[in-house]
Amino acid sequence: MSLPITDMKDNVEHLDQSSLNDAAFTPGSVEEKRLVRKIDRRVLPILWVMYILNYLDRTNIGNAKTGGMQADLKLSSSDYSLVLSIFFVGYLLNEVPCNMILSRTRPSLFLPTIMFCWGAMSIGAKGVNSLGGMVAFRFFLGIIEAGFFPGVMLLLSCWYKPAELSKRVAFFYTASLMSGAFGGLLAGGIITGLEGVAGTRGWKWLFIIEGLATVVVACAAYFILPDYPSTTRWLSEDERRLAVDRLVVASLETAVAEEADISHMQAFKLAVKNPRTWAFLITYNMLNSVGTISYFFPTLMTSLGYTGQKSQFMTVPIYAVALVIALAVGFSADKTRQKAYHGIGACLLGVVSFVICATVSNNAVRYTFICFGGAGIWSCIPILLSWLVTMFEGRESRAISIALINGFGNLSSVYGSFFWPSDQAPQYHMGFAITTALLGATGVAIGLIKYFYGDRGVQKTN
């Protein structure tokens, strides 16, 4: 594995070749374990909270829809799909430029700044009173949020070895599940409790309050979020050396042959020419497209007979089940160092669950397997992400490969948002059928990537 971003250069220069050859670093030592625990305490919690708010600001549109937005803005089923999908158009357009900027700047400044901006935009959604206004709001929200998720993936890969990433990425990804779970509770409380306060509809208060929370956390993140191991003030000199040594030893094959600084255009060409980029891009695109089911959970709950506030609350167990299973899968993948096989297993769980949802009419059974199907999707995503970030070499080209994969992966939400048209209610056979097919194809694609390219990032640390 090679370290992304220009910090790799600083890390390698921090050591001379003799120090590497003399085995100054001993893998699995008491000092390393103590350091990793310290990194976990300082890096993961702030990123986790930031991602909770990121996901809330992105997905509260589903709760707003059932909370009165659809009626107020006179949205048809296709209008709502447009509101969902336009976010990802902006997201794709700015994904690679954001990672180019991040590769030359400090995460402790870049990530909180874009977070502050999207929080402020969410507060401004109070002024949206038409379909055109909501489409414009969602488009520019996608542009601003584009740099956050891939930026976090790059930052995590600068702090952790490949065999440590699965459970950390799984933990980070549970923030999206927590926000999905408690987002329903929060949305139900805000929309009902603040309806009409200060002459403002409850669904608009949802945007305002979540936007305010985002701005507050963004301001705190300026002081908490770290940069890279070699430049972090809360590590001692010995700890900084150890943090760098362990990563360089884990990626020695690549680090010694690391190319000199290259231009953005050269890096872009290298990323585009790398067949792994396209293999992971197609796989992640299919996997992300089925994840759009989360935007329709409140709608699906309505089709199962739950109405009003209860339709919001019944989404909570879905995310709770997914959280437990995703964490278990992440820990198992790191322990066994078999990321691909765990990803295939997660896809299989989703396929079986959604086949049952599409073929039975009992609402209790359908609800149960919606929970397990969601767990299959959200267990596979962090496994795939923690795997792909170890599979690309070179500072600049690797950052761009990850940005392309994440950007085009999220573009799938443009067409994924049309899987669940309202005229398919209450069974939604089309949505469940497409979701099943794409999850099955994702499992096959993961197997092919494993066969042709292996799991090189993990093998280097064995």
Side-chain angles (χ1 to χ4, degrees), residues 9-16 230 237 240-241 244-245:
K9 179 180 178 182
D10 296 334
N11 288 346
V12 175
E13 290 176 350
H14 187 68
L15 304 172
D16 57 30
S230 63
E237 185 64 30
R240 284 196 292 270
R241 184 178 293 107
V244 172
D245 285 3

Side-chain angles (χ1 to χ4, degrees), residues 4 10 24 36 61-62 87 101 135 147 151 200 245 254 258 275 363 370 395 398 406 457:
D10 296 334
V36 172
I61 193 75
F87 171 91
I101 294 171
V135 168
T200 302
D245 285 3
T254 308
E258 190 88 358
N363 285 341
I370 285 175
R395 295 183 300 271
R398 183 162 173 263
N406 193 66

